[in-house]
Amino acid sequence: MNERINNIRLFLKKYAIPIGLLPIFMIVGVLFWGGLTGAILQSLGWFPAIGLREITLKYYREIFLDTDLWSSSGYTLYIAIIPTILATCISILLAIIINDLNGNMKKISNFIIKIPIMIPYLVGIYMVIVMYGQSGWIARIMASLGLIKCTSQFPEILYSNSAIGIIMVYLWKQVPFMTTIIRSNLISVGRDYEQVAQTLGANNSQIFRYVTIPLIIPGILSSSLLVFAFNFGSFETPFIVGRYYPNTLPVEAYKLYSNIDLCYRPKAMAMVILISILSTIILYYYEKSIEKFKYIKK
Amino acid sequence: MKKFILFFLICGILVFVLTAAVLAFDANKALQGKMTWEEIVAAAKEEGEVTFYGWGGSAITNQWVDNYFGKELEERYGIKLIRVPMNIDDIINKLLAEKQAGKKVGIIDTVWINGENFKTAYQANLLWGSYAKLLPNYNKYCKPKEANIDFGFDNQGFESPYSNALFVFGYDAAKTEPFNNFDELKKFVKKNSGRFTYSAPPDFYGSAFVRQVFCATTGGYEQWLGDFNREKFEAKVQATWDYLNEIEPYLWRNGKTYPESNAKLESLFQMGEIDITMNYSFLAIQSYINQGKIPPTCKSFILDEGVLSNMNYITISGNSSHKAAALVLANLMMDPEVQISKLDPKKRGDGIGIDISLLEPKYVDKLENVDLGPATLPMDFLYKNRIFELNAKYTEAIEQGWIENVLKK
Amino acid sequence: MDRENVNYVVNITKKILKKVMLFIVFLYILSAIIPIVVWSFTRSWFWPSAFPQIWDNHAWQYVFSNVSKVPQAIANTIIIALIVMILSILISLPSARVMGLYKFKGKKIVEMLLLAPVIIPPMAVGLGLTTIFIKIGLSDTMQGVIIAHLIPTLPYVNRIISSTYETFDTRYEEQGIMLGASSFKVFINVTFPILLPGLITAALFGFVISLNEFVMTFLIGGGRIITLPVLLFGFVGGTSSFDYPIASAMTILLSIPGIIFLFATERIIKEEYFSMGF
């Protein structure tokens, strides 16, 4: 009996790696990649339900020839990059500021800054609509004060080409997210090195510039990576407060998908695959470029 | 003694099984008209529940369906109504996906549907069959020649009437002076720049607006009744795009973006960003006033070119497992009491789907006593100015054309 | 002015600027609460008034009634989030251990594969997954939605726990075994307490991600499984009779589980834990 148990133990030890990875691969591997495979097949024209059995690249060709989809890609990239940059800058500043606070202010700040993280995007979207829409609360207050007379005099924040509404929603949600991560990096990662630097005689500002900042850069970069990835593929926000046409790639893909005419579905799948490939490429290069900063941590 | 008990037990089981078999709903038998209505009602009670899928974006509609209609269904027939809010596109996608996956028994029993969506579902064989004639209320209160024409398409009784829609416009009499026809609309938008818009086709309502523009700019709707005539369409439709492109810079947001649904358009109206609203229900304005969403000074108005009118229906899905209950639901929806309750803008504000001329005098009285409210135009006035929906192929062509010629500039 | 005074002024200005920035940020985060609360008690509020013309609580009555489906949605949302949280931790424990402790060929690729759900949009995965789920009968079911929620959750949970393992010294475990304890006891008394901060952070992420997840529930749940985000989308998403009072009441309700969870874990999770995995 004991020998049996020992054999099992040895087996587990030997194959610890694949066994350990098994559960998560079942979910991520099977479901996730399975789902993608289904999409890939449909995008290549394999759609037996409506009689398409020919593998073809014509849907991809259609997409490349569609100038509106190029515009949509540009729009998507724009609303992926700008809020990420803004959020990163603001979050770094905020993380430092909150870190330097004391006592109760610090506690309150900690709490408030985390609130948007716990609340769904839809709430953030709704908040921006209610507050900053042309008929939102701010506009109404201004109208009551006589500053504007009709709604069109208030800036076009929602549904606009400049996507300010979308950016505002993303900032509301992502600045807290990044600030929390950067701040916690500040606390945990820097401590030992900061102490060493102090004993070596560096003053506060030197410690900050030469020790703290390089140490938190990995955290900043990897969280900005996450934020960028999310913004690129996001659906709810552009769908509700984006401009009508052409909207972002995920929204346009969904519109095609939900078209009653099933003929559009392979094209929708092709769009979805292209979005996936695009985000993978962008993020691969992004990840590579921050590789060199990671060595500091390890 | 033991033998007796066993005997009774077996008899009891046999009786139970036989009763169940008798009451069990044989959908095919029913469809062929071989079951009586009483048998159908009894089978429905056995089934005990039915799902009703449809747009759930109006709280007052939801409340009427759940609190009034669901209650009636339960009290009169012992059937529980399960309302599932879902947009029609998603419903059809779901039925299609189930069909694709070969699902024999689905969870969608009844659907609130009409027009192109119905045609798609019908042609994809997602629906049960020609059941309308099985319903007593259909035979009593509907004229098949009129009730079965859904966007110029004969539905063969695959759907049964739910509501009648009469397309009207709305404005706030305290702030705005409306227009009487599409020519005056042109002047209106130029004078009130940024205060008018329409939802983007293929949204149902925006599509209806563009269809009316189409009829108006091509010289009337009568010429388009009947089958789809591509040559004639292509020859004349340019006037529509010219008109819409001409007014585009004067629309809300300079036409750079359109509201994607009528709900958004109505929200713009409610919130004071535009001055004109539109709706397929001629009672909508009054209903919104009752709900406090728009000021009491608001009123409905129609255009010289006519009132676009259509019907919307209930249909039963092919893979429903509660077909008897679905039949009872569809029948109850055509009950005059139910229709009159639905009409009242205080309860919901939705047009009558059955034929008023076939109602018994007591119902006609009840109908006349419903207060439609000061913002509503009288039904007979609207009926007199009715124009009918064109063949759904025109709708498709117009929607596609709008996207190509107006949206993409 | 001499040098000291200039420094002093600069410092004070810095301090004021910092406080102002903090104030603006908090204002931005919190200020929308006011009009939302006001809208939730509104019957009629027309332009250009700064406050409603008619107040009432019909929105709250609707939201708490069964017609609105809010009670079911709250129950569904929380149950799903809790199950997803627990499942994702259970699934991640073995894999996080592997990723955190071992070096092996192809580890980089495994890392990227496991991160894929973060990079590839849920809309992309969801659309492809829908057909598969229908075929295997998981669409419109709680189980299906729960499994679908695991997709966005697992990468985060796995990453956080694996970074905890990175700083874990297996010698503690070895000592426990040498002293005669069974593997199970070692796990409970040695490994688990050390992992705890990471586990709690991972649990928080798992719970919150599932709580706020919309796309997966929308596509897989198919309208039958109603969670708060899906319900709210129906009232804000543009195809509903834009009903500000009801949408406001729903929004407030939708925010409450998250905030309660925040309160509950405030004590337990120290600030530094949030950087785990990043």
Side-chain angles (χ1 to χ4, degrees):
Chain A
M1 185 60 174
N2 269 332
E3 209 190 293
R4 268 243 181 107
I5 298 182
N6 259 342
N7 280 337
I8 298 180
R9 279 230 178 100
L10 283 173
F11 179 80
L12 284 177
K13 266 221 158 80
K14 191 169 174 203
Y15 295 105
I17 295 178
I19 291 179
L21 290 177
L22 192 66
I24 204 171
F25 262 98
M26 285 208 308
I27 305 282
V28 177
V30 173
L31 283 188
F32 178 76
W33 291 102
L36 267 192
T37 313
I40 294 177
L41 282 175
Q42 272 199 3
S43 74
L44 291 174
W46 180 261
F47 199 6
I50 59 171
L52 294 172
R53 281 169 201 276
E54 200 195 304
I55 302 287
T56 167
L57 284 177
K58 72 170 178 189
Y59 300 107
Y60 287 96
R61 222 181 301 141
E62 263 181 58
I63 294 177
F64 278 111
L65 293 176
D66 190 342
T67 46
D68 286 332
L69 283 181
W70 282 101
S71 167
S72 171
S73 310
Y75 190 58
T76 315
L77 271 174
Y78 168 75
I79 69 167
I81 297 179
I82 303 287
T84 308
I85 298 178
L86 284 175
T88 310
C89 298
I90 300 178
S91 302
I92 299 178
L93 280 173
L94 261 186
I96 298 172
I97 294 179
I98 296 185
N99 210 28
D100 289 339
L101 288 176
N102 293 311
N104 276 330
M105 265 311 280
K106 197 170 202 167
K107 272 194 180 164
I108 299 177
S109 305
N110 269 335
F111 186 76
I112 296 183
I113 200 71
K114 290 208 199 66
I115 292 179
I117 304 179
M118 316 294 275
I119 298 181
Y121 270 88
L122 282 168
V123 171
I125 296 171
Y126 185 62
M127 281 187 170
V128 170
I129 296 178
V130 165
M131 271 293 262
Y132 306 105
Q134 282 188 316
S135 49
W137 197 44
I138 304 265
R140 285 169 190 232
I141 294 180
M142 287 173 72
S144 320
L145 294 175
L147 294 168
I148 62 174
K149 256 206 328 208
C150 80
T151 58
S152 46
Q153 291 171 313
F154 191 82
E156 292 179 5
I157 290 187
L158 307 172
Y159 326 121
S160 65
N161 281 330
S162 58
I164 297 186
I166 299 181
I167 296 177
M168 286 177 78
V169 174
Y170 286 167
L171 286 180
W172 183 83
K173 198 78 162 79
Q174 287 157 9
V175 163
F177 176 70
M178 291 187 77
T179 307
T180 309
I181 292 183
I182 297 176
R183 219 199 118 231
S184 102
N185 250 329
L186 269 175
I187 305 176
S188 61
V189 169
R191 230 182 249 142
D192 300 334
Y193 295 96
E194 282 172 358
Q195 284 181 342
V196 169
Q198 232 175 14
T199 50
L200 288 175
N203 66 35
N204 275 337
S205 121
Q206 282 175 321
I207 294 178
F208 189 73
R209 272 181 73 194
Y210 297 109
V211 178
T212 318
I213 295 224
L215 283 173
I216 64 173
I217 283 188
I220 298 177
L221 289 175
S222 64
S223 57
S224 66
L225 195 110
L226 274 174
V227 163
F228 178 80
F230 176 84
N231 291 350
F232 189 76
S234 159
F235 172 75
E236 294 113 276
T237 313
F239 186 72
I240 301 179
V241 293
R243 68 181 181 197
Y244 181 68
Y245 188 79
N247 210 324
T248 64
L249 289 174
V251 173
E252 290 298 325
Y254 176 74
K255 279 194 206 165
L256 270 182
Y257 176 86
S258 48
N259 195 317
I260 299 291
D261 196 343
L262 285 188
C263 295
Y264 292 110
R265 200 158 292 186
K267 190 172 174 189
M269 292 303 179
M271 278 186 73
V272 143
I273 298 296
L274 282 176
I275 297 173
S276 310
I277 295 180
L278 215 70
S279 34
T280 312
I281 294 178
I282 296 178
L283 284 146
Y284 176 72
Y285 280 108
Y286 194 8
E287 169 92 26
K288 260 210 154 160
S289 68
I290 70 179
E291 266 301 293
K292 45 189 170 172
F293 291 100
K294 283 221 165 130
Y295 80 86
I296 302 176
K297 198 168 178 185
K298 304 238 164 98
Chain B
M1 194 57 194
K2 263 196 184 169
K3 281 210 175 141
F4 256 117
I5 298 179
L6 197 60
F7 176 71
F8 272 117
L9 218 55
I10 296 183
C11 279
I13 295 178
L14 272 174
V15 168
F16 180 73
V17 168
L18 281 174
T19 325
V22 162
L23 286 182
F25 191 61
D26 185 335
N28 283 327
K29 207 169 145 218
L31 211 49
Q32 289 157 18
K34 295 203 178 122
M35 283 179 80
T36 66
W37 182 246
E38 289 70 31
E39 290 174 328
I40 294 178
V41 169
K45 188 151 183 202
E46 275 291 307
E47 286 175 355
E49 62 179 37
V50 63
T51 60
F52 180 45
Y53 277 68
W55 178 67
S58 159
I60 198 174
T61 304
N62 297 342
Q63 278 168 321
W64 181 87
V65 173
D66 287 347
N67 297 338
Y68 172 81
F69 186 73
K71 223 172 86 185
E72 288 291 304
L73 196 63
E74 176 106 48
E75 282 175 5
R76 294 201 211 179
Y77 298 102
I79 302 172
K80 182 163 165 243
L81 176 71
I82 302 175
R83 177 183 60 81
V84 180
M86 195 186 274
N87 291 333
I88 187 63
D89 299 325
D90 300 324
I91 296 176
I92 297 195
N93 271 327
K94 213 170 142 56
L95 287 172
L96 279 167
E98 285 181 348
K99 189 144 196 146
Q100 212 185 322
K103 217 170 173 192
K104 285 268 148 70
V105 172
I107 47 174
I108 302 180
D109 298 322
T110 57
V111 182
W112 178 12
I113 199 174
N114 75 351
E116 280 168 270
N117 298 313
F118 168 77
K119 204 158 162 218
T120 305
Y122 175 82
Q123 288 172 335
N125 288 320
L126 302 174
L127 305 176
W128 180 24
S130 177
Y131 73 88
K133 56 185 187 282
L134 304 172
L135 308 175
N137 283 336
Y138 177 83
N139 293 318
K140 248 201 272 183
Y141 300 115
C142 296
K143 295 186 190 144
K145 276 233 174 76
E146 291 176 16
N148 284 5
I149 305 298
D150 183 3
F151 276 67
F153 180 73
D154 185 348
N155 63 28
Q156 310 276 348
F158 274 62
E159 42 179 12
S160 55
Y162 184 2
S163 303
N164 186 23
L166 294 160
F167 196 96
V168 300
F169 296 83
Y171 71 109
D172 186 346
K175 293 196 314 189
T176 324
E177 253 190 65
F179 41 91
N180 290 319
N181 52 54
F182 283 101
D183 279 328
E184 288 189 17
L185 172 56
K186 242 200 245 187
K187 297 199 196 92
F188 179 88
V189 295
K190 291 186 179 161
K191 203 170 119 196
N192 303 283
S193 179
R195 307 296 298 180
F196 177 84
T197 190
Y198 55 96
S199 54
D203 175 77
F204 205 47
Y205 298 77
S207 179
F209 175 78
V210 174
R211 286 202 293 281
Q212 291 176 72
V213 173
F214 171 69
C215 293
T217 54
T218 54
Y221 83 102
E222 289 98 343
Q223 58 182 317
W224 303 110
L225 290 173
D227 286 330
F228 182 58
N229 183 333
R230 185 168 280 285
E231 294 85 38
K232 194 166 162 202
F233 177 76
E234 313 235 310
K236 290 190 145 188
V237 78
Q238 189 56 39
T240 314
W241 313 139
D242 292 338
Y243 179 93
L244 291 173
N245 279 320
E246 197 185 325
I247 64 172
E248 191 174 61
Y250 303 99
L251 297 178
W252 175 73
R253 295 292 183 97
N254 307 112
K256 284 184 288 181
T257 187
Y258 290 88
E260 77 263 14
S261 66
N262 201 54
K264 216 158 180 175
L265 183 118
E266 288 183 323
S267 153
L268 290 175
F269 179 74
Q270 289 167 19
M271 298 291 272
E273 288 190 42
I274 57 177
D275 291 331
I276 305 284
T277 184
M278 49 185 99
N279 201 301
Y280 253 122
S281 166
F282 72 106
L283 302 141
I285 307 286
Q286 185 62 48
S287 174
Y288 290 141
I289 294 178
N290 292 343
Q291 294 173 59
K293 287 186 174 178
I294 55 181
T297 44
C298 291
K299 295 203 186 316
S300 325
F301 71 98
I302 63 171
L303 302 181
D304 299 334
E305 283 89 349
V307 178
L308 194 57
S309 151
N310 68 39
M311 287 193 26
N312 56 75
Y313 302 81
I314 294 185
T315 190
I316 301 181
S317 82
N319 64 7
S320 159
S321 54
H322 300 103
K323 293 197 174 84
L327 285 173
V328 172
L329 182 156
N331 187 59
L332 182 60
M333 199 55 91
M334 288 186 282
D335 183 309
E337 297 260 7
V338 170
Q339 289 280 330
I340 292 176
S341 155
K342 188 162 61 68
L343 179 73
D344 189 342
K346 289 193 213 63
K347 305 209 182 93
R348 179 169 158 184
D350 199 35
I352 303 257
I354 52 184
D355 195 321
I356 302 177
S357 64
L358 297 175
L359 286 175
E360 293 96 332
K362 65 174 174 182
Y363 291 125
V364 175
D365 279 338
K366 267 205 169 134
L367 190 58
E368 307 209 319
N369 282 329
V370 177
D371 178 14
L372 297 182
T376 312
L377 296 167
M379 247 194 304
D380 41 12
F381 171 66
L382 294 171
Y383 269 48
K384 252 194 277 179
N385 289 296
R386 266 193 305 185
I387 64 177
F388 295 100
E389 293 285 5
L390 308 172
N391 187 310
K393 275 213 162 64
Y394 282 111
T395 307
E396 274 172 54
I398 291 174
E399 288 175 359
Q400 266 309 110
W402 183 83
I403 294 178
E404 295 297 320
N405 296 289
V406 181
L407 182 65
K408 298 193 177 178
K409 271 167 253 294
Chain C
M1 272 199 269
D2 62 324
R3 194 111 185 266
E4 243 181 58
N5 277 344
V6 170
N7 264 340
Y8 184 70
V9 170
V10 166
N11 275 333
I12 295 279
T13 323
K14 270 196 189 165
K15 270 199 164 158
I16 297 180
L17 279 176
K18 284 185 184 174
K19 288 255 156 82
V20 165
M21 178 164 180
L22 211 59
F23 181 70
I24 295 180
V25 168
F26 289 164
L27 198 65
Y28 184 63
I29 291 179
L30 297 174
S31 55
I33 296 181
I34 306 174
I36 290 183
V37 171
V38 172
W39 267 112
S40 74
F41 287 104
T42 299
R43 164 64 75 175
S44 298
W45 187 355
F46 307 127
W47 172 272
S49 168
F51 282 100
Q53 282 90 347
I54 308 180
W55 302 71
D56 76 7
N57 66 349
H58 82 279
W60 287 104
Q61 284 178 342
Y62 177 77
V63 146
F64 284 123
S65 72
N66 268 318
V67 178
S68 66
K69 311 252 184 251
V70 165
Q72 297 100 294
I74 295 182
N76 282 344
T77 313
I78 296 186
I79 293 175
I80 293 177
L82 284 173
I83 298 181
V84 169
M85 169 182 91
I86 296 175
L87 276 183
S88 60
I89 291 185
L90 288 177
I91 296 178
S92 298
L93 274 174
S95 55
R97 192 188 172 92
V98 168
M99 298 300 283
L101 290 179
Y102 298 97
K103 277 193 168 56
F104 53 93
K105 250 205 300 196
K107 187 172 180 188
K108 208 68 197 9
I109 299 187
V110 171
E111 245 178 54
M112 291 215 60
L113 284 179
L114 290 180
L115 270 186
V118 169
I119 296 175
I120 296 181
M123 183 50 69
V125 182
L127 289 185
L129 210 56
T130 314
T131 325
I132 297 184
F133 266 37
I134 295 181
K135 280 222 162 76
I136 59 181
L138 275 181
S139 73
D140 312 320
T141 59
M142 278 286 250
Q143 308 92 290
V145 171
I146 291 174
I147 295 179
H149 275 210
L150 286 174
I151 295 179
T153 326
L154 280 172
Y156 285 90
V157 171
N158 188 53
R159 183 93 177 253
I160 294 174
I161 303 183
S162 74
S163 85
T164 318
Y165 265 112
E166 274 169 20
T167 54
F168 179 74
D169 199 341
T170 47
R171 288 180 293 187
Y172 289 115
E173 286 181 332
E174 289 165 22
Q175 284 223 335
I177 296 188
M178 275 201 297
L179 289 172
S182 73
S183 300
F184 184 64
K185 265 218 165 125
V186 167
F187 182 76
I188 299 274
N189 292 319
V190 178
T191 322
F192 191 73
I194 301 183
L195 289 180
L196 197 59
L199 285 181
I200 296 183
T201 315
L204 182 70
F205 268 83
F207 184 80
V208 169
I209 293 178
S210 170
L211 198 75
N212 299 343
E213 179 63 35
F214 166 73
V215 174
M216 284 303 176
T217 324
F218 183 62
L219 291 178
I220 306 290
R224 267 307 240 161
I225 307 296
I226 301 184
T227 61
L228 282 176
V230 167
L231 202 56
L232 186 60
F233 182 77
F235 273 93
V236 174
T239 48
S240 62
S241 286
F242 228 100
D243 195 317
Y244 278 73
I246 293 180
S248 303
M250 275 198 199
T251 302
I252 296 175
L253 272 185
L254 191 40
S255 314
I256 291 183
I259 299 199
I260 293 184
F261 206 71
L262 184 64
F263 263 115
T265 51
E266 245 320 75
R267 298 283 163 116
I268 315 177
I269 303 189
K270 293 209 221 128
E271 283 309 308
E272 47 247 36
Y273 300 153
F274 281 102
S275 63
M276 286 184 179
F278 298 105

